[in-house]
Amino acid sequence: MRRREFIRRSGAALLAASPVTRVMGPHLRRRASWFLVPMDDAQSDHLKAYGVTYRLLQRGGRAEWLLNYRHGSFLMPADAATRRDAALAGVTVEPMDDGRVTEIRGEIAASNMDAIPLEKAPKVAVYAPPNAAPWDDAVTMALQYAGIEFGKVWDEEVLRQGLADYDWLHLHHEDFTGQYSKFFLNYAGAPWLMEMVDRNQRMARKLGFPSVPAEKRAVAQAIAAYVERGGFLFAMCTATETLDLALASDGVDIAAVYADESPMDPNASNKMDWSRALAFRDARLELRPTVSQFSDIDGHQVNAPERRQPLGSFTLFNFSAKIDPVPAMLVQNHRAVIPDFYGLTTSFTRRTLKPGVTVLAEEPGAPWVKYIHGERGQGTWTFLGGHDPEDPQHQIGDPPTDLSLHPHSPGYRLILNNVLFPAAKKKELKT
Amino acid sequence: MRRRGVARLAALSIAVCGASVGASPGLAQQDPLTRAFDLERRGDYVAAVDAYRAVLARRPSEVSAILGLERSLVPLNRLPEIIPAVRAALAAAPVPAAPSLAPVYAAGIRAWAAAGEPDSLRRLAERWVQVSPRDELPYREWGAALLPHDRPGAKQVYLLGRERLARPEALAAELAQLALLEEDYPTALREWVAAIRKLPGYQPSAVGALQGAPSRIRPELLRLLERDGSREARRLAAELSVRWGDAVGGFRLLRSTLGTGPSEDREALHRFIESLRGVGTREAMRAQAMALEALAERSPEAQASRQRVEAAHLYSESGDRDAARRMLAGVADDRAGGSGAASAAAALVSLLLEEGKPEEAERRLAAAAGTIPADERDALARRIARGWIRQGRLDRAAQAVARDSSVDGLALQGRIRLYRGDLAGARRQWQAAGPFAGSREEATERAMLLATLQTIEADSLPELGEALLAAERGDTAAAVAGLERVAGELDPVAGGAELRLMAGRMEAARRRNVDAERLLRSAAIERAPATAAAAELELGRLLISLDRREEAVEVLEHLVLEHPQSALVPQARRLLDVARGAVPRT
């Protein structure tokens, strides 16, 4: 309390001594020179708030991410462009004068909070086939809704070094084992599946691979190399699990006969090389080609009726903003407990996590976690289980989620935390 | 008596004690199996495997334990390890042909398949066949185990089964599904017909499986069914025709199969009607109506009336008004028809109004007035008044609702006054009617009209009434011209801008985009801010529909920034998202 009072007084004294204040006198001291974008329940559109911040960075401006201050608020200069952008987006901003900002800084210094400078709008790539409907992918929907620009890449771009142009790569429900999410037998004849198979087979042929599983493995390896070189990877749903399965299965046939014309190695689980994987180890593979599950990495097994687990809710960890700013950034939220949601991969069993993986969110008491993070070489990866935070029982053919109906979605906030995280100034990344 | 009671009590106590003493070892024996189930449910498959094995060591033919062991070994990728347990179970069984052993044989077959040992698989399957020579199940499991890796082998097994069982329809469903995997639709079709002949319950599966056949071979499949000619084939053809877009043709096929017996006919018709529910095309509604009519001919009178009324609605919606009128007139004229007759009379009045015959509708309503409940009669009278309005006969309309003092009646009387140009009278009647009269759409439209009237200072404007009546009668061109003329004579703040906005909306609705844009822009003036916000919202919507998204963004941004207090700002933000492509198109 005394410390906070001291900082407030000393801050006010410094402000009074600043050249601008001296020239303009008390008039300017009352003028708003900052906007605080609150991220607690005062915010009218949490998701678009990320867009307002991103576009400020895109215009060459600077902002600060106030970790744990009012659930991860943003502080930015009160310029006309930001005022206009926020008004158009319906984002709540609170005008602040320098004195109030100094008070906030004092509070941050004295608590488990920190101010992280954001200085560069990251270049975002979404991995998706060229004609994929944008609405079946939670990240694409979040980016579109928030108004954050992104490019699309697919196998050809990934394998031809196209990722070098991007700071941040997102994967969603791609099956990197090359088995078409194992829908091949259950959805035989469905036009969307036939198109998916045809598109993937043509791409594999074009790139000179003998089969789709072989080509997807090469793509997975290129993505791992991108992370190794310093890229930021964020993956959801099946992409998390199958990326690691593809990486660990080099030289092992883990694909069903329909995918590569040779049966899966029945002893594949014992032959995997987990040192190549990013997050997982010692998983056991699902051998049945008709069950749309890949391994026991996923705790919920939504498509294996005899093993399917009900949805609960997951809890975000509260990290130290000053010591662990990276995980702290990734979990900024106005809700600490979030209802769970299914995906082909919904969660990650604790048993299969590599040592050193940071758990960002878990279901207390359950043998699985929801949200994990780790490093590889110069880069980092973050995995979030599940398909769509606002459509917990998502089925093929369901209508797309309209995010204007969920502007406060805490699940979607987790996705957008990941988009802004690469914008943070490097020296602040302590972990 | 009392002694006998004591003796009974003693006997009961002994029996209870005996039962509990006797139950103790039983419970103790069940414990390992319960524990194994619990371990499996918790996902601890390794421990579950040990627990199930412990059960099987004591009771080798315990089928639940064999199946539990199989379920636990599958996720561990260790299914072949079940083989010794299967062998022990079969060796320990006192009667090798016992039906309860079927799951054990099946588990063994799956295990040998997982182990990749087809010879052992065959030996076990043949052993099962030996003990159950009349049963399809061994072949079904044997084929299913081969199917994922060896489709020709699976087919051979099914055909072998059919030959040995000497039943041409044996394993037909399996062969049908196999043929589908090979995209051999004619064979699949023949097998499904055989399967349905054996068990009619296969029909929905057959339809579900065959409906995805490529369009180019559908005519051939229908020809094959026609050639087969059996009732099963024609019923399958009927349902497939529906799925392939020829609902009326489907009904004709179904009709050709009727006559086997009222109960079976009714069931077939019911199934056909259900298969069409929710399809929503005119063709489907017509076929559904035809089926309902046929069903009514086979139903008791009370049900038949309801079915005919429903058929009439469907005929009407499908555009076959003659058939609808035929159905309804039949029921309405039936004096013994009770509530069915009243409902038919009401439907007939509605139909006549839709056909623009208020005079005839009025006559029908008068004839049936005694049988129709008062509320419904008033509602129909209001619909007749609307019918007269659509013909421009305001005097007859006013006469039809003259005695109606309900809020809906007052609302309609207000509308008639409006069309006569009596703005003060319309305002008075609508205020008396309140905001909730009529349907939600009517109430919203009335509120919007009232808001417009309140900006106009004049009490009487016959030219405005004529313009609005023209709109009601569907003559939008005359309505727009009239509205623009009146707007030109009014101050923009005193209704001029509002009338231009109204005219702009009408032009936009009939896709006269240039005029719509001109009118909406002329309504969006700073002097009338409430109208300006609404006009900009409409303009934004129009520009998006014309794919002039950048212009739409500009207009909508202007709305949000210049009218931040407007209640339309949330809608404008949503439209901005649409213009920027951030809202999914469903």
Side-chain angles (χ1 to χ4, degrees):
Chain A
M1 185 68 190
R2 249 184 273 160
R3 179 181 159 83
R4 192 178 300 174
E5 189 60 28
F6 166 78
I7 290 169
R8 184 163 60 221
R9 283 183 184 168
S10 55
L14 281 171
L15 193 67
S18 79
V20 178
T21 317
R22 275 205 304 273
V23 173
M24 302 301 287
H27 171 71
L28 186 69
R29 276 209 294 275
R30 283 196 301 274
R31 225 188 88 194
S33 41
W34 301 93
F35 285 143
L36 180 83
V37 182
M39 293 300 274
D40 52 14
D41 287 337
Q43 180 51 259
S44 52
D45 196 323
H46 284 94
L47 306 187
K48 286 199 170 175
Y50 288 88
V52 168
T53 309
Y54 183 90
R55 289 189 291 277
L56 165 68
L57 301 178
Q58 229 179 3
R59 291 193 298 272
R62 304 272 176 104
E64 284 175 79
W65 198 349
L66 308 185
L67 302 187
N68 292 351
Y69 179 78
R70 294 182 67 182
H71 302 287
S73 305
F74 299 103
L75 184 68
M76 50 191 71
D79 59 49
T82 303
R83 183 192 304 274
R84 182 177 188 278
D85 195 11
L88 289 172
V91 168
T92 305
V93 295
E94 294 176 6
M96 302 262 154
D97 61 22
D98 290 341
R100 177 69 189 123
V101 168
T102 308
E103 271 182 50
I104 291 171
R105 290 197 193 289
E107 195 180 332
I108 287 172
S111 318
N112 176 20
M113 301 177 185
D114 205 357
I116 301 289
L118 301 175
E119 55 182 14
K120 181 189 169 226
K123 284 195 73 180
V124 176
V126 173
Y127 174 87
N131 56 346
W135 313 118
D136 204 19
D137 168 349
V139 170
T140 308
M141 286 194 284
L143 295 174
Q144 294 259 21
Y145 181 72
I148 294 174
E149 281 178 11
F150 61 94
K152 278 192 176 181
V153 294
W154 202 42
D155 295 351
E156 195 167 4
E157 293 83 1
V158 172
L159 290 175
R160 294 187 176 155
Q161 304 301 316
L163 291 180
D165 300 335
Y166 293 100
D167 303 308
W168 191 87
L169 172 66
H170 160 65
L171 317 172
H172 198 251
H173 44 226
E174 190 65 37
D175 172 5
F176 288 100
T177 69
Q179 298 178 92
Y180 318 107
S181 299
K182 297 180 81 173
F183 291 144
F184 194 85
L185 297 178
N186 294 341
Y187 288 89
W192 58 268
L193 179 65
M194 288 159 70
E195 193 197 342
M196 185 205 278
V197 171
D198 177 58
R199 191 172 52 228
N200 279 283
Q201 287 177 344
R202 274 192 285 119
M203 181 54 78
R205 277 196 299 274
K206 181 179 177 187
L207 297 174
F209 288 93
S211 66
V212 174
E215 187 244 347
K216 291 292 176 190
R217 185 180 293 118
V219 171
Q221 286 163 349
I223 290 170
Y226 161 77
V227 178
E228 191 92 39
R229 288 194 302 271
F232 296 92
L233 171 68
F234 175 66
M236 282 182 76
C237 202
T238 352
T240 57
E241 182 181 2
T242 62
L243 183 77
D244 261 15
L245 293 179
L247 290 172
S249 66
D250 202 6
V252 186
D253 187 348
I254 63 165
V257 69
Y258 61 74
D260 59 1
E261 295 178 358
S262 67
M264 181 179 180
D265 184 341
N267 201 23
S269 296
N270 298 327
K271 295 182 179 171
M272 303 284 272
D273 178 2
W274 294 104
S275 67
R276 295 167 186 270
L278 297 176
F280 306 113
R281 62 171 183 177
D282 303 336
R284 289 183 290 261
L285 301 177
E286 168 63 62
L287 293 174
R288 288 171 293 178
T290 48
V291 175
S292 297
Q293 296 291 152
F294 297 90
S295 72
D296 62 356
I297 287 173
D298 177 25
H300 282 75
Q301 303 279 316
V302 67
N303 284 330
E306 75 280 13
R307 299 200 298 271
R308 180 179 176 146
Q309 298 296 322
L311 287 176
S313 52
F314 59 93
T315 305
L316 296 170
F317 279 100
N318 186 12
F319 291 94
S320 161
K322 292 188 177 72
I323 298 168
D324 287 320
V326 170
M329 272 185 260
L330 296 174
V331 298
Q332 290 302 295
N333 215 301
H334 53 295
R335 295 287 179 270
V337 179
I338 300 174
D340 207 347
F341 48 99
Y342 280 127
L344 275 185
T345 302
T346 304
S347 55
F348 315 115
T349 43
R350 294 176 197 272
R351 186 188 68 75
T352 60
L353 294 182
K354 282 188 171 184
V357 167
T358 305
V359 175
L360 303 173
E362 64 164 7
E363 183 175 334
W368 52 73
V369 301
K370 184 71 179 174
Y371 187 29
I372 55 177
H373 172 76
E375 294 171 7
R376 175 71 166 261
Q378 301 296 307
T380 72
W381 54 265
T382 308
F383 289 174
L384 175 61
H387 185 87
D388 182 340
E390 293 302 333
D391 186 1
Q393 309 270 352
H394 183 85
Q395 302 277 323
I396 289 171
D398 278 358
T401 297
D402 181 351
L403 281 184
S404 65
L405 306 176
H406 307 279
H408 308 293
S409 168
Y412 273 92
R413 263 198 82 177
L414 296 179
I415 296 172
L416 291 167
N417 283 339
N418 276 275
V419 182
L420 276 193
F421 147 64
K425 198 173 170 185
K426 286 283 183 198
K427 67 175 182 173
E428 297 292 343
L429 304 180
K430 291 174 186 165
T431 55
Chain B
M1 181 74 185
R2 193 172 162 188
R3 195 180 292 172
R4 231 164 65 191
V6 171
R8 270 188 198 163
L9 190 65
L12 187 65
S13 305
I14 291 162
V16 169
C17 290
S20 64
V21 169
S24 298
L27 281 174
Q29 277 168 3
Q30 276 183 358
D31 269 341
L33 188 56
T34 311
R35 195 163 50 245
F37 280 137
D38 282 346
L39 288 165
E40 185 194 347
R41 232 188 332 262
R42 274 184 274 158
D44 188 350
Y45 300 117
V46 174
V49 165
D50 291 342
Y52 282 123
R53 280 192 176 135
V55 174
L56 289 165
R58 296 176 65 186
R59 285 175 290 155
S61 350
E62 175 63 62
V63 174
S64 305
I66 292 271
L67 294 178
L69 181 60
E70 185 188 22
R71 285 194 305 272
S72 305
L73 286 170
V74 166
L76 299 174
N77 285 339
R78 288 162 44 191
L79 184 55
E81 290 179 24
I82 200 175
I83 290 167
V86 169
R87 281 191 182 130
L90 294 174
V95 186
S100 61
L101 279 183
V104 179
Y105 279 112
I109 282 175
R110 288 191 288 271
W112 282 122
E117 296 192 27
D119 293 340
S120 304
L121 193 163
R122 169 178 280 274
R123 269 197 299 279
L124 183 60
E126 291 287 16
R127 188 174 157 196
W128 189 6
V129 168
Q130 261 182 346
V131 298
S132 308
R134 303 303 306 152
D135 197 350
E136 287 184 22
L137 194 57
Y139 300 103
R140 192 173 293 144
E141 290 290 345
W142 184 2
L146 291 178
L147 192 59
H149 305 293
D150 179 10
R151 204 182 285 168
K155 190 173 178 178
Q156 267 180 1
V157 166
Y158 293 142
L159 291 172
L160 177 72
R162 177 174 283 182
E163 189 190 329
R164 286 185 183 168
L165 294 165
R167 292 199 300 266
E169 78 291 346
L171 299 157
E174 284 72 25
L175 282 162
Q177 290 177 58
L178 206 143
L180 273 180
L181 284 175
E182 290 169 347
E183 299 189 12
D184 178 358
Y185 287 94
T187 304
L189 185 81
R190 271 192 298 275
E191 295 293 349
W192 276 123
V193 173
I196 295 167
R197 202 167 287 140
K198 186 176 72 169
L199 188 65
Y202 272 128
Q203 171 114 349
S205 309
V207 173
L210 290 167
Q211 67 179 356
S215 2
R216 64 189 153 76
I217 64 160
R218 290 175 183 176
E220 186 199 337
L221 297 182
L222 290 174
R223 268 196 303 278
L224 282 173
L225 288 169
E226 193 184 347
R227 209 172 304 148
D228 179 300
S230 64
R231 178 174 294 114
E232 291 81 11
R234 278 181 290 153
R235 287 206 170 154
L236 182 57
E239 283 208 43
L240 285 175
S241 298
V242 169
R243 304 297 168 103
W244 293 340
D246 180 12
V248 172
F251 174 71
R252 291 200 181 106
L253 280 166
L254 177 71
R255 194 164 51 192
S256 74
T257 70
L258 299 177
T260 48
S263 161
E264 198 187 322
D265 286 355
R266 278 199 298 272
E267 198 186 319
L269 285 163
H270 271 300
R271 210 172 42 237
F272 184 81
I273 291 163
E274 285 309 312
S275 75
L276 284 166
R277 281 203 200 284
V279 178
T281 63
R282 285 181 156 220
E283 159 102 2
M285 283 191 274
R286 182 144 186 272
Q288 214 178 336
M290 292 161 93
L292 274 163
E293 192 179 347
L295 185 61
E297 286 162 13
R298 291 162 176 79
S299 300
E301 200 43 51
Q303 282 176 33
S305 293
R306 278 201 306 276
Q307 285 156 356
R308 288 196 179 98
V309 172
E310 198 183 341
H313 281 298
L314 287 162
Y315 273 130
S316 169
E317 283 179 45
S318 74
D320 188 348
R321 290 176 183 278
D322 290 341
R325 213 178 306 112
R326 177 169 52 79
M327 288 283 99
L328 290 172
V331 184
D333 293 341
D334 180 3
R335 293 290 156 201
S339 63
S343 144
L348 187 55
V349 168
S350 301
L351 189 65
L352 290 165
L353 286 169
E354 280 166 26
E355 290 177 352
K357 296 172 180 166
E359 185 114 46
E360 202 182 331
E362 211 163 41
R363 237 190 349 265
R364 274 280 176 187
L365 182 60
T371 62
I372 301 177
D375 282 357
E376 202 174 330
R377 195 180 56 227
D378 287 348
L380 285 169
R382 286 193 293 275
R383 291 192 62 189
I384 289 171
R386 284 185 173 277
W388 284 123
I389 289 173
R390 274 195 293 277
Q391 296 200 348
R393 300 287 302 273
L394 295 179
D395 52 336
R396 294 293 298 265
Q399 207 179 321
V401 290
R403 281 178 296 176
D404 189 346
S405 58
S406 67
V407 288
D408 292 342
L410 291 174
L412 191 52
Q413 287 158 17
R415 191 172 284 273
I416 295 167
R417 284 178 184 271
L418 174 66
Y419 295 149
R420 285 174 164 159
D422 176 7
L423 306 192
R427 278 195 288 259
R428 215 169 32 247
Q429 293 283 51
W430 280 354
Q431 274 157 3
F436 303 115
S439 68
R440 186 188 159 96
E441 291 74 25
E442 284 167 2
T444 309
E445 190 217 354
R446 200 170 54 249
M448 285 172 72
L449 273 173
L450 192 56
T452 304
L453 293 187
Q454 277 165 347
T455 63
I456 299 172
E457 287 160 6
D459 283 342
S460 173
L461 271 176
E463 204 176 351
L464 177 59
E466 280 167 29
L468 293 173
L469 180 59
E472 174 72 37
R473 298 183 64 193
D475 185 356
T476 318
V480 170
L483 286 172
E484 264 204 275
R485 252 193 323 275
V486 180
E489 290 162 14
L490 297 175
D491 186 299
V493 184
E498 274 292 324
L499 294 183
R500 285 197 176 90
L501 169 60
M502 192 186 287
R505 282 183 175 137
M506 286 180 188
E507 291 292 58
R510 63 183 189 137
R511 311 301 300 160
R512 286 177 56 90
N513 300 324
V514 175
D515 286 327
E517 185 177 346
R518 174 180 58 77
L519 284 161
L520 292 173
R521 286 195 190 278
S522 69
I525 54 165
E526 295 306 320
R527 282 180 61 211
T531 310
E536 285 182 344
L537 188 70
E538 286 298 336
L539 186 57
R541 204 171 274 145
L542 175 72
L543 293 169
I544 289 169
S545 75
L546 298 173
D547 212 21
R548 289 160 59 189
R549 287 167 185 268
E550 283 182 19
E551 290 172 73
V553 166
E554 199 179 310
V555 167
L556 293 165
E557 284 188 354
H558 185 265
L559 191 170
V560 173
L561 296 171
E562 295 304 315
H563 307 287
Q565 303 304 320
S566 167
L568 300 175
V569 164
Q571 284 184 62
R573 285 205 182 103
R574 161 106 186 156
L575 267 185
L576 263 175
D577 285 342
V578 172
R580 290 172 175 147
V583 175
R585 267 170 277 178
T586 49

